[in-house]
Amino acid sequence: MKPGIEVRLKDGMTEEEWRRLVGWSDDPFRIASYRYVWEPKRWRILVCVEGEPVSHVGVTPQRMVKVGEEPVLVGGIGGVVTLPQYRGQGFARLALREAMRFLRDELGVDFGLLLCREELVPFYAAQGWKRVPPPVLIEQPRGKVPLGLEAMALALREKPWPPGALDLCGLPF
Ligand SMILES: CC(C)(COP(=O)(O)OP(=O)(O)OC[C@H]1O[C@@H](n2cnc3c(N)ncnc32)[C@H](O)[C@@H]1OP(=O)(O)O)[C@@H](O)C(=O)NCCC(=O)NCCS
């Protein structure tokens, strides 16, 4: 890593810290139109330049989801973002790599799971993530609904992602 760049893990984040990362847009992830209720992130992986966070990955607690009839232990990630002026320098990739280490070694899950817009599938696929075919079900206050985004999984151990419909058994992350 270049001098002045460090990766930090934080348990929680203040509203002000979050604003500094996403305040450049009122819809930084371009998903506001889905009007989903999201699972809050618990941990934050931050790439900092000279002490200031420039890139972020949020991590949710371990969750047992269902693929077909099989229970599968996953760690959800979301809120992947790099400040516009710091993009294209590998910061998101660095944060994702650290998030995967955290999920595997500290949360002990078998897969990373994320939800994204279709145009980001190549970004994650280039880092080893595989698209999970629909149907994918998520919980919302009105009940269980089909996901309107793409789901992608990353195998963190030997096991491959099983076949079958994915039920997130909770809110999207
Ligand atoms: C997507 C995002 C996080 C990428 O951040 P970044 O720090 O610029 O990404 P990196 O520099 O680590 O990019 C790693 C690789 O992915 C590629 N890449 C970056 N954005 C991409 C995109 N939107 N689509 C496809 N590939 C992309 C880069 O070119 C780079 O490839 P290379 O190694 O061959 O050069 C950033 O564009 C962003 O904050 N977007 C707005 C928020 C958002 O939509 N987040 C995704 C939520 S699911």
Side-chain angles (χ1 to χ4, degrees), residues 24 28-30 55-56 78-84 86-94 114-117 119-124 126-127:
W24 47 270
F29 303 102
R30 289 193 275 135
S55 190
H56 165 273
V80 179
V81 64
T82 300
L83 285 178
Y86 286 92
R87 288 187 192 160
Q89 299 178 55
F91 290 137
R93 190 180 12 208
L94 187 60
L114 64 80
L115 313 178
C116 67
R117 301 188 319 276
E119 66 258 37
L120 283 155
V121 168
F123 166 68
Y124 292 111
Q127 296 170 63

Side-chain angles (χ1 to χ4, degrees), residues 49-69:
V49 175
E50 308 297 349
E52 277 304 305
V54 303
S55 190
H56 165 273
V57 173
V59 180
T60 55
Q62 302 91 320
R63 188 189 296 179
M64 200 63 90
V65 300
K66 252 173 52 180
V67 186
E69 285 310 306

